[in-house]
Amino acid sequence: MTTGATVGLLFLLGGCGGSTPATVPPSSVPAAGASSAAALPTDLPTDLPTDLDVARPAVPTATASAAASAKTGIAALQGTAVPKHFPFPKGATPTVLASEGTGVTLALSGVTGDAAIRYYRQAMPAAGYTFQQQVKSDNSMELIFTGYNQNVRISSDATTGAQSVTLVFGPQ
């Protein structure tokens, strides 16, 4: 390695925050064997605020090319990160919009957004998922659950006039 390259590398590392990592105070680290699950809610609270205005990642939507190549139905979930036991509302048909490794994005048809949200509020805890958060705006509602080493975001969006239901599975 030349001297110029070495100096450039040192400059790059120094500019990228190559300093000593921050330490976590011992009081904030749980004791060995302590379970943080006891502190998490297991049932969906009934007194959640309904006016949260929280920035959240964009949910991929179906484009014409994605819709043409999308796989529809329960059989389309085979080989994806969607667990075999995952609940779906009666009459709902999942369509795989995207699937990469541990991430999957589904659209549900055959069910309204309101009906899907009501269904998943009850079905997810019964299926072994833990409620984490609810995010509501004027035209959308999102429920976030964790379980089976996954985060699951269930979104109902009515910004285009028609309600769409999207499920996003990702690593926990």
Side-chain angles (χ1 to χ4, degrees):
M1 187 180 280
T2 66
T3 304
T6 304
V7 170
L9 181 61
L10 290 173
F11 180 73
L12 179 64
L13 288 174
C16 292
S19 62
T20 307
T23 58
V24 177
S27 61
S28 66
V29 177
S35 172
S36 60
L40 296 176
T42 56
D43 294 335
L44 185 64
T46 57
D47 61 343
L48 292 171
T50 58
D51 59 350
L52 293 176
D53 187 15
V54 179
R56 58 181 185 236
V59 175
T61 57
T63 61
S65 62
S69 64
K71 297 177 183 177
T72 301
I74 298 297
L77 303 177
Q78 211 169 16
T80 68
V82 178
K84 292 180 183 191
H85 68 275
F86 190 80
F88 289 98
K90 185 176 182 172
T93 303
T95 299
V96 178
L97 300 178
S99 178
E100 277 188 37
T102 59
V104 180
T105 301
L106 305 176
L108 286 187
S109 59
V111 65
T112 67
D114 292 339
I117 293 295
R118 279 192 309 272
Y119 173 81
Y120 282 115
R121 278 187 175 142
Q122 294 178 0
M124 293 297 279
Y129 290 86
T130 303
F131 172 77
Q132 295 298 314
Q133 185 177 13
Q134 172 179 301
V135 181
K136 182 178 175 159
S137 72
D138 290 341
N139 296 318
S140 66
M141 171 73 77
E142 181 177 71
L143 300 176
I144 303 169
F145 292 89
T146 58
Y148 306 97
N149 296 318
Q150 290 182 314
N151 284 322
V152 182
R153 294 177 174 269
I154 302 154
S155 303
S156 168
D157 190 359
T159 55
T160 60
Q163 286 187 340
S164 65
V165 180
T166 308
L167 284 77
V168 178
F169 295 78
Q172 188 171 4

Tab-separated table of all heavy atoms in Angstrom, residues 4-73:
chain	number	residue	atom	x	y	z
A	4	GLY	N	0.263	7.458	0.151
A	4	GLY	CA	-0.930	8.267	-0.142
A	4	GLY	C	-2.205	7.502	0.157
A	4	GLY	O	-3.169	8.042	0.698
A	5	ALA	N	-2.233	6.222	-0.195
A	5	ALA	CA	-3.419	5.402	0.070
A	5	ALA	C	-3.621	5.216	1.561
A	5	ALA	O	-4.744	5.216	2.065
A	5	ALA	CB	-3.303	4.047	-0.627
A	6	THR	N	-2.504	5.051	2.298
A	6	THR	CA	-2.590	4.883	3.748
A	6	THR	C	-3.141	6.142	4.406
A	6	THR	O	-4.022	6.084	5.255
A	6	THR	CB	-1.206	4.538	4.335
A	6	THR	OG1	-0.711	3.384	3.692
A	6	THR	CG2	-1.281	4.319	5.830
A	7	VAL	N	-2.635	7.303	3.998
A	7	VAL	CA	-3.104	8.571	4.550
A	7	VAL	C	-4.575	8.762	4.201
A	7	VAL	O	-5.384	9.171	5.037
A	7	VAL	CB	-2.240	9.757	4.035
A	7	VAL	CG1	-2.870	11.091	4.395
A	7	VAL	CG2	-0.839	9.646	4.581
A	8	GLY	N	-4.967	8.424	2.954
A	8	GLY	CA	-6.365	8.543	2.534
A	8	GLY	C	-7.271	7.655	3.365
A	8	GLY	O	-8.368	8.051	3.756
A	9	LEU	N	-6.836	6.434	3.640
A	9	LEU	CA	-7.628	5.507	4.441
A	9	LEU	C	-7.782	6.022	5.869
A	9	LEU	O	-8.875	5.983	6.430
A	9	LEU	CB	-6.972	4.120	4.446
A	9	LEU	CG	-7.700	3.041	5.234
A	9	LEU	CD1	-9.094	2.823	4.649
A	9	LEU	CD2	-6.920	1.753	5.227
A	10	LEU	N	-6.693	6.535	6.451
A	10	LEU	CA	-6.778	7.080	7.805
A	10	LEU	C	-7.708	8.281	7.849
A	10	LEU	O	-8.486	8.455	8.785
A	10	LEU	CB	-5.390	7.470	8.319
A	10	LEU	CG	-4.445	6.318	8.628
A	10	LEU	CD1	-3.051	6.844	8.960
A	10	LEU	CD2	-4.987	5.486	9.759
A	11	PHE	N	-7.634	9.151	6.813
A	11	PHE	CA	-8.519	10.311	6.746
A	11	PHE	C	-9.976	9.871	6.641
A	11	PHE	O	-10.858	10.398	7.316
A	11	PHE	CB	-8.127	11.196	5.544
A	11	PHE	CG	-8.984	12.418	5.405
A	11	PHE	CD1	-8.856	13.481	6.287
A	11	PHE	CD2	-9.934	12.499	4.407
A	11	PHE	CE1	-9.656	14.595	6.171
A	11	PHE	CE2	-10.734	13.611	4.285
A	11	PHE	CZ	-10.606	14.667	5.167
A	12	LEU	N	-10.235	8.863	5.806
A	12	LEU	CA	-11.598	8.346	5.626
A	12	LEU	C	-12.144	7.767	6.926
A	12	LEU	O	-13.268	8.039	7.320
A	12	LEU	CB	-11.615	7.280	4.527
A	12	LEU	CG	-12.959	6.635	4.235
A	12	LEU	CD1	-13.928	7.687	3.690
A	12	LEU	CD2	-12.810	5.509	3.256
A	13	LEU	N	-11.341	6.976	7.620
A	13	LEU	CA	-11.787	6.384	8.880
A	13	LEU	C	-12.041	7.452	9.931
A	13	LEU	O	-12.989	7.368	10.702
A	13	LEU	CB	-10.772	5.373	9.405
A	13	LEU	CG	-10.702	4.061	8.632
A	13	LEU	CD1	-9.554	3.211	9.169
A	13	LEU	CD2	-12.007	3.318	8.700
A	14	GLY	N	-11.204	8.456	9.975
A	14	GLY	CA	-11.387	9.534	10.940
A	14	GLY	C	-12.647	10.321	10.651
A	14	GLY	O	-13.370	10.732	11.543
A	15	GLY	N	-12.978	10.528	9.369
A	15	GLY	CA	-14.177	11.278	8.988
A	15	GLY	C	-15.443	10.481	9.147
A	15	GLY	O	-16.538	11.025	9.170
A	16	CYS	N	-15.352	9.169	9.217
A	16	CYS	CA	-16.544	8.316	9.318
A	16	CYS	C	-16.852	7.937	10.743
A	16	CYS	O	-17.553	6.971	10.993
A	16	CYS	CB	-16.351	7.049	8.490
A	16	CYS	SG	-16.316	7.360	6.732
A	17	GLY	N	-16.296	8.630	11.663
A	17	GLY	CA	-16.619	8.314	13.057
A	17	GLY	C	-15.828	7.134	13.552
A	17	GLY	O	-16.331	6.333	14.320
A	18	GLY	N	-14.608	6.967	13.089
A	18	GLY	CA	-13.781	5.847	13.492
A	18	GLY	C	-13.216	6.034	14.884
A	18	GLY	O	-12.132	5.606	15.176
A	19	SER	N	-13.915	6.695	15.749
A	19	SER	CA	-13.440	6.930	17.107
A	19	SER	C	-13.873	5.798	18.013
A	19	SER	O	-14.535	4.866	17.602
A	19	SER	CB	-13.988	8.262	17.622
A	19	SER	OG	-15.386	8.211	17.661
A	20	THR	N	-13.560	5.915	19.258
A	20	THR	CA	-13.905	4.909	20.250
A	20	THR	C	-15.424	4.800	20.373
A	20	THR	O	-16.111	5.812	20.479
A	20	THR	CB	-13.314	5.296	21.619
A	20	THR	OG1	-11.928	5.547	21.460
A	20	THR	CG2	-13.558	4.217	22.646
A	21	PRO	N	-15.973	3.564	20.337
A	21	PRO	CA	-17.422	3.418	20.446
A	21	PRO	C	-17.938	3.843	21.816
A	21	PRO	O	-17.237	3.743	22.813
A	21	PRO	CB	-17.661	1.923	20.220
A	21	PRO	CG	-16.347	1.259	20.464
A	21	PRO	CD	-15.283	2.298	20.208
A	22	ALA	N	-19.168	4.317	21.828
A	22	ALA	CA	-19.787	4.727	23.091
A	22	ALA	C	-20.027	3.503	23.952
A	22	ALA	O	-20.270	2.414	23.456
A	22	ALA	CB	-21.111	5.429	22.801
A	23	THR	N	-19.956	3.677	25.250
A	23	THR	CA	-20.207	2.574	26.154
A	23	THR	C	-21.593	2.709	26.749
A	23	THR	O	-22.119	3.799	26.895
A	23	THR	CB	-19.161	2.538	27.293
A	23	THR	OG1	-19.223	3.771	27.980
A	23	THR	CG2	-17.768	2.307	26.748
A	24	VAL	N	-22.168	1.580	27.073
A	24	VAL	CA	-23.489	1.548	27.678
A	24	VAL	C	-23.308	1.436	29.181
A	24	VAL	O	-22.559	0.577	29.655
A	24	VAL	CB	-24.288	0.328	27.152
A	24	VAL	CG1	-25.630	0.249	27.827
A	24	VAL	CG2	-24.419	0.393	25.649
A	25	PRO	N	-23.969	2.315	29.933
A	25	PRO	CA	-23.818	2.223	31.384
A	25	PRO	C	-24.325	0.871	31.892
A	25	PRO	O	-25.335	0.365	31.410
A	25	PRO	CB	-24.664	3.367	31.932
A	25	PRO	CG	-25.414	3.931	30.794
A	25	PRO	CD	-24.851	3.373	29.528
A	26	PRO	N	-23.604	0.260	32.853
A	26	PRO	CA	-23.997	-1.062	33.357
A	26	PRO	C	-25.422	-1.106	33.898
A	26	PRO	O	-26.063	-2.126	33.870
A	26	PRO	CB	-22.983	-1.346	34.471
A	26	PRO	CG	-21.875	-0.373	34.284
A	26	PRO	CD	-22.408	0.770	33.506
A	27	SER	N	-25.957	0.012	34.372
A	27	SER	CA	-27.296	-0.005	34.954
A	27	SER	C	-28.377	-0.222	33.896
A	27	SER	O	-29.477	-0.625	34.217
A	27	SER	CB	-27.570	1.296	35.702
A	27	SER	OG	-27.490	2.386	34.795
A	28	SER	N	-28.073	0.037	32.590
A	28	SER	CA	-29.089	-0.133	31.554
A	28	SER	C	-29.028	-1.500	30.897
A	28	SER	O	-29.827	-1.814	30.046
A	28	SER	CB	-28.944	0.958	30.489
A	28	SER	OG	-27.719	0.790	29.811
A	29	VAL	N	-28.041	-2.317	31.265
A	29	VAL	CA	-27.912	-3.654	30.701
A	29	VAL	C	-28.623	-4.628	31.628
A	29	VAL	O	-28.359	-4.660	32.828
A	29	VAL	CB	-26.419	-4.046	30.546
A	29	VAL	CG1	-26.286	-5.459	30.032
A	29	VAL	CG2	-25.697	-3.058	29.660
A	30	PRO	N	-29.583	-5.440	31.085
A	30	PRO	CA	-30.285	-6.383	31.952
A	30	PRO	C	-29.342	-7.457	32.490
A	30	PRO	O	-28.384	-7.825	31.831
A	30	PRO	CB	-31.357	-6.991	31.040
A	30	PRO	CG	-30.963	-6.653	29.652
A	30	PRO	CD	-30.021	-5.499	29.717
A	31	ALA	N	-29.646	-7.936	33.673
A	31	ALA	CA	-28.842	-8.988	34.291
A	31	ALA	C	-28.977	-10.267	33.485
A	31	ALA	O	-29.981	-10.499	32.823
A	31	ALA	CB	-29.317	-9.221	35.731
A	32	ALA	N	-27.965	-11.117	33.536
A	32	ALA	CA	-27.995	-12.379	32.814
A	32	ALA	C	-29.204	-13.189	33.256
A	32	ALA	O	-29.495	-13.305	34.436
A	32	ALA	CB	-26.704	-13.156	33.072
A	33	GLY	N	-29.899	-13.730	32.298
A	33	GLY	CA	-31.069	-14.544	32.603
A	33	GLY	C	-32.335	-13.740	32.801
A	33	GLY	O	-33.407	-14.289	32.916
A	34	ALA	N	-32.229	-12.400	32.854
A	34	ALA	CA	-33.424	-11.568	33.041
A	34	ALA	C	-34.198	-11.537	31.741
A	34	ALA	O	-33.635	-11.449	30.675
A	34	ALA	CB	-33.025	-10.155	33.457
A	35	SER	N	-35.474	-11.599	31.826
A	35	SER	CA	-36.322	-11.594	30.638
A	35	SER	C	-36.980	-10.240	30.490
A	35	SER	O	-37.638	-9.756	31.397
A	35	SER	CB	-37.387	-12.685	30.751
A	35	SER	OG	-38.300	-12.565	29.696
A	36	SER	N	-36.791	-9.625	29.312
A	36	SER	CA	-37.448	-8.346	29.074
A	36	SER	C	-38.870	-8.571	28.586
A	36	SER	O	-39.637	-7.634	28.465
A	36	SER	CB	-36.653	-7.529	28.047
A	36	SER	OG	-36.579	-8.237	26.830
A	37	ALA	N	-39.244	-9.819	28.273
A	37	ALA	CA	-40.590	-10.104	27.790
A	37	ALA	C	-41.640	-9.794	28.850
A	37	ALA	O	-42.764	-9.448	28.527
A	37	ALA	CB	-40.699	-11.567	27.368
A	38	ALA	N	-41.282	-9.903	30.117
A	38	ALA	CA	-42.247	-9.629	31.172
A	38	ALA	C	-42.685	-8.174	31.161
A	38	ALA	O	-43.784	-7.846	31.574
A	38	ALA	CB	-41.653	-9.990	32.530
A	39	ALA	N	-41.827	-7.291	30.656
A	39	ALA	CA	-42.154	-5.872	30.641
A	39	ALA	C	-43.001	-5.490	29.431
A	39	ALA	O	-43.543	-4.413	29.382
A	39	ALA	CB	-40.875	-5.056	30.644
A	40	LEU	N	-43.111	-6.364	28.446
A	40	LEU	CA	-43.866	-6.060	27.234
A	40	LEU	C	-45.335	-6.422	27.414
A	40	LEU	O	-45.667	-7.400	28.075
A	40	LEU	CB	-43.298	-6.829	26.042
A	40	LEU	CG	-41.865	-6.468	25.653
A	40	LEU	CD1	-41.384	-7.362	24.531
A	40	LEU	CD2	-41.774	-5.015	25.238
A	41	PRO	N	-46.231	-5.664	26.791
A	41	PRO	CA	-47.651	-5.998	26.895
A	41	PRO	C	-47.948	-7.268	26.112
A	41	PRO	O	-47.333	-7.538	25.094
A	41	PRO	CB	-48.346	-4.797	26.243
A	41	PRO	CG	-47.311	-4.199	25.345
A	41	PRO	CD	-45.989	-4.474	25.988
A	42	THR	N	-48.873	-8.060	26.616
A	42	THR	CA	-49.253	-9.280	25.917
A	42	THR	C	-50.606	-9.147	25.244
A	42	THR	O	-50.907	-9.888	24.342
A	42	THR	CB	-49.282	-10.481	26.891
A	42	THR	OG1	-50.169	-10.158	27.963
A	42	THR	CG2	-47.897	-10.778	27.413
A	43	ASP	N	-51.426	-8.242	25.686
A	43	ASP	CA	-52.726	-8.000	25.078
A	43	ASP	C	-52.718	-6.628	24.440
A	43	ASP	O	-51.991	-5.733	24.857
A	43	ASP	CB	-53.853	-8.049	26.113
A	43	ASP	CG	-54.024	-9.438	26.687
A	43	ASP	OD1	-53.657	-10.419	26.023
A	43	ASP	OD2	-54.509	-9.529	27.812
A	44	LEU	N	-53.549	-6.443	23.454
A	44	LEU	CA	-53.657	-5.153	22.803
A	44	LEU	C	-54.371	-4.192	23.734
A	44	LEU	O	-55.495	-4.440	24.152
A	44	LEU	CB	-54.443	-5.291	21.499
A	44	LEU	CG	-54.553	-4.056	20.651
A	44	LEU	CD1	-53.182	-3.629	20.161
A	44	LEU	CD2	-55.466	-4.307	19.475
A	45	PRO	N	-53.725	-3.088	24.103
A	45	PRO	CA	-54.377	-2.124	24.997
A	45	PRO	C	-55.592	-1.502	24.315
A	45	PRO	O	-55.617	-1.334	23.108
A	45	PRO	CB	-53.299	-1.058	25.232
A	45	PRO	CG	-52.018	-1.657	24.780
A	45	PRO	CD	-52.355	-2.717	23.797
A	46	THR	N	-56.589	-1.170	25.104
A	46	THR	CA	-57.798	-0.557	24.553
A	46	THR	C	-57.748	0.956	24.611
A	46	THR	O	-58.583	1.620	24.027
A	46	THR	CB	-59.041	-1.042	25.331
A	46	THR	OG1	-58.848	-0.732	26.713
A	46	THR	CG2	-59.251	-2.530	25.135
A	47	ASP	N	-56.771	1.514	25.293
A	47	ASP	CA	-56.704	2.962	25.452
A	47	ASP	C	-55.540	3.577	24.686
A	47	ASP	O	-54.912	4.521	25.131
A	47	ASP	CB	-56.605	3.326	26.935
A	47	ASP	CG	-55.347	2.747	27.582
A	47	ASP	OD1	-54.732	1.827	26.995
A	47	ASP	OD2	-54.976	3.218	28.658
A	48	LEU	N	-55.254	3.059	23.496
A	48	LEU	CA	-54.153	3.589	22.706
A	48	LEU	C	-54.504	4.951	22.135
A	48	LEU	O	-55.650	5.188	21.744
A	48	LEU	CB	-53.849	2.644	21.543
A	48	LEU	CG	-53.263	1.302	21.947
A	48	LEU	CD1	-53.214	0.385	20.749
A	48	LEU	CD2	-51.874	1.477	22.502
A	49	PRO	N	-53.531	5.869	22.064
A	49	PRO	CA	-53.806	7.157	21.425
A	49	PRO	C	-54.093	6.929	19.945
A	49	PRO	O	-53.546	6.029	19.331
A	49	PRO	CB	-52.512	7.942	21.626
A	49	PRO	CG	-51.474	6.949	21.983
A	49	PRO	CD	-52.174	5.755	22.554
A	50	THR	N	-54.968	7.733	19.394
A	50	THR	CA	-55.335	7.543	17.996
A	50	THR	C	-54.820	8.648	17.101
A	50	THR	O	-55.099	8.662	15.924
A	50	THR	CB	-56.868	7.461	17.860
A	50	THR	OG1	-57.421	8.666	18.386
A	50	THR	CG2	-57.420	6.257	18.571
A	51	ASP	N	-54.054	9.560	17.622
A	51	ASP	CA	-53.591	10.669	16.810
A	51	ASP	C	-52.071	10.719	16.710
A	51	ASP	O	-51.486	11.781	16.653
A	51	ASP	CB	-54.131	11.985	17.353
A	51	ASP	CG	-53.705	12.234	18.787
A	51	ASP	OD1	-53.159	11.325	19.425
A	51	ASP	OD2	-53.919	13.358	19.269
A	52	LEU	N	-51.432	9.561	16.684
A	52	LEU	CA	-49.980	9.528	16.575
A	52	LEU	C	-49.572	9.957	15.176
A	52	LEU	O	-50.120	9.505	14.187
A	52	LEU	CB	-49.450	8.116	16.836
A	52	LEU	CG	-49.630	7.603	18.257
A	52	LEU	CD1	-49.146	6.174	18.350
A	52	LEU	CD2	-48.884	8.464	19.244
A	53	ASP	N	-48.634	10.858	15.074
A	53	ASP	CA	-48.104	11.275	13.797
A	53	ASP	C	-46.634	10.902	13.791
A	53	ASP	O	-45.771	11.702	14.111
A	53	ASP	CB	-48.297	12.786	13.600
A	53	ASP	CG	-47.915	13.227	12.210
A	53	ASP	OD1	-47.773	12.355	11.328
A	53	ASP	OD2	-47.753	14.437	12.005
A	54	VAL	N	-46.349	9.654	13.467
A	54	VAL	CA	-45.014	9.115	13.578
A	54	VAL	C	-44.475	8.821	12.187
A	54	VAL	O	-45.171	8.244	11.362
A	54	VAL	CB	-45.041	7.793	14.396
A	54	VAL	CG1	-43.669	7.194	14.509
A	54	VAL	CG2	-45.628	8.043	15.764
A	55	ALA	N	-43.254	9.216	11.931
A	55	ALA	CA	-42.626	8.868	10.663
A	55	ALA	C	-42.366	7.371	10.669
A	55	ALA	O	-41.893	6.810	11.646
A	55	ALA	CB	-41.321	9.636	10.503
A	56	ARG	N	-42.691	6.714	9.595
A	56	ARG	CA	-42.467	5.279	9.497
A	56	ARG	C	-41.998	4.959	8.093
A	56	ARG	O	-42.238	5.710	7.161
A	56	ARG	CB	-43.721	4.504	9.852
A	56	ARG	CG	-44.895	4.849	8.989
A	56	ARG	CD	-46.118	4.057	9.417
A	56	ARG	NE	-47.177	4.328	8.493
A	56	ARG	CZ	-48.357	4.792	8.812
A	56	ARG	NH1	-48.640	5.011	10.067
A	56	ARG	NH2	-49.250	5.020	7.897
A	57	PRO	N	-41.333	3.822	7.924
A	57	PRO	CA	-40.816	3.490	6.610
A	57	PRO	C	-41.955	3.288	5.623
A	57	PRO	O	-43.043	2.835	5.984
A	57	PRO	CB	-40.041	2.194	6.835
A	57	PRO	CG	-40.461	1.691	8.160
A	57	PRO	CD	-41.017	2.844	8.931
A	58	ALA	N	-41.694	3.633	4.392
A	58	ALA	CA	-42.701	3.460	3.354
A	58	ALA	C	-42.945	1.979	3.117
A	58	ALA	O	-42.021	1.170	3.147
A	58	ALA	CB	-42.237	4.118	2.063
A	59	VAL	N	-44.176	1.624	2.898
A	59	VAL	CA	-44.550	0.254	2.592
A	59	VAL	C	-44.582	0.124	1.076
A	59	VAL	O	-45.226	0.923	0.403
A	59	VAL	CB	-45.936	-0.086	3.186
A	59	VAL	CG1	-46.371	-1.471	2.765
A	59	VAL	CG2	-45.887	0.030	4.692
A	60	PRO	N	-43.861	-0.859	0.529
A	60	PRO	CA	-43.878	-1.011	-0.917
A	60	PRO	C	-45.297	-1.254	-1.413
A	60	PRO	O	-46.080	-1.956	-0.787
A	60	PRO	CB	-43.015	-2.259	-1.161
A	60	PRO	CG	-42.265	-2.482	0.099
A	60	PRO	CD	-43.045	-1.847	1.193
A	61	THR	N	-45.638	-0.646	-2.526
A	61	THR	CA	-46.946	-0.857	-3.125
A	61	THR	C	-46.771	-1.561	-4.458
A	61	THR	O	-45.697	-1.534	-5.054
A	61	THR	CB	-47.682	0.474	-3.345
A	61	THR	OG1	-46.853	1.308	-4.150
A	61	THR	CG2	-47.981	1.169	-2.035
A	62	ALA	N	-47.815	-2.165	-4.913
A	62	ALA	CA	-47.759	-2.919	-6.161
A	62	ALA	C	-47.668	-1.963	-7.343
A	62	ALA	O	-48.411	-1.010	-7.435
A	62	ALA	CB	-48.990	-3.800	-6.290
A	63	THR	N	-46.723	-2.219	-8.221
A	63	THR	CA	-46.646	-1.493	-9.478
A	63	THR	C	-47.199	-2.420	-10.548
A	63	THR	O	-47.460	-3.597	-10.290
A	63	THR	CB	-45.186	-1.125	-9.804
A	63	THR	OG1	-44.441	-2.340	-9.924
A	63	THR	CG2	-44.580	-0.243	-8.732
A	64	ALA	N	-47.370	-1.930	-11.742
A	64	ALA	CA	-47.918	-2.768	-12.810
A	64	ALA	C	-47.030	-3.988	-13.051
A	64	ALA	O	-47.518	-5.111	-13.181
A	64	ALA	CB	-48.076	-1.949	-14.082
A	65	SER	N	-45.698	-3.801	-13.063
A	65	SER	CA	-44.809	-4.944	-13.305
A	65	SER	C	-44.789	-5.887	-12.107
A	65	SER	O	-44.725	-7.099	-12.269
A	65	SER	CB	-43.395	-4.462	-13.621
A	65	SER	OG	-42.871	-3.747	-12.523
A	66	ALA	N	-44.862	-5.340	-10.875
A	66	ALA	CA	-44.879	-6.196	-9.686
A	66	ALA	C	-46.181	-6.973	-9.622
A	66	ALA	O	-46.199	-8.150	-9.262
A	66	ALA	CB	-44.689	-5.373	-8.418
A	67	ALA	N	-47.288	-6.329	-9.975
A	67	ALA	CA	-48.575	-7.012	-9.947
A	67	ALA	C	-48.614	-8.133	-10.970
A	67	ALA	O	-49.190	-9.189	-10.736
A	67	ALA	CB	-49.706	-6.014	-10.199
A	68	ALA	N	-47.983	-7.910	-12.126
A	68	ALA	CA	-47.977	-8.932	-13.165
A	68	ALA	C	-47.165	-10.152	-12.733
A	68	ALA	O	-47.484	-11.279	-13.099
A	68	ALA	CB	-47.417	-8.358	-14.459
A	69	SER	N	-46.092	-9.927	-11.952
A	69	SER	CA	-45.246	-11.040	-11.536
A	69	SER	C	-45.593	-11.531	-10.131
A	69	SER	O	-44.945	-12.429	-9.624
A	69	SER	CB	-43.778	-10.617	-11.589
A	69	SER	OG	-43.550	-9.584	-10.658
A	70	ALA	N	-46.584	-10.931	-9.476
A	70	ALA	CA	-46.951	-11.312	-8.115
A	70	ALA	C	-47.548	-12.712	-8.096
A	70	ALA	O	-48.197	-13.142	-9.044
A	70	ALA	CB	-47.945	-10.309	-7.544
A	71	LYS	N	-47.309	-13.382	-6.995
A	71	LYS	CA	-47.861	-14.722	-6.787
A	71	LYS	C	-49.007	-14.596	-5.798
A	71	LYS	O	-48.860	-13.967	-4.754
A	71	LYS	CB	-46.782	-15.649	-6.250
A	71	LYS	CG	-45.626	-15.838	-7.212
A	71	LYS	CD	-44.567	-16.708	-6.592
A	71	LYS	CE	-43.386	-16.843	-7.529
A	71	LYS	NZ	-42.311	-17.624	-6.937
A	72	THR	N	-50.131	-15.211	-6.127
A	72	THR	CA	-51.335	-15.057	-5.319
A	72	THR	C	-51.753	-16.376	-4.687
A	72	THR	O	-51.590	-17.436	-5.279
A	72	THR	CB	-52.480	-14.520	-6.208
A	72	THR	OG1	-52.060	-13.279	-6.750
A	72	THR	CG2	-53.745	-14.310	-5.417
A	73	GLY	N	-52.332	-16.265	-3.466
A	73	GLY	CA	-52.881	-17.416	-2.767
A	73	GLY	C	-51.939	-17.956	-1.710
A	73	GLY	O	-50.766	-17.593	-1.640
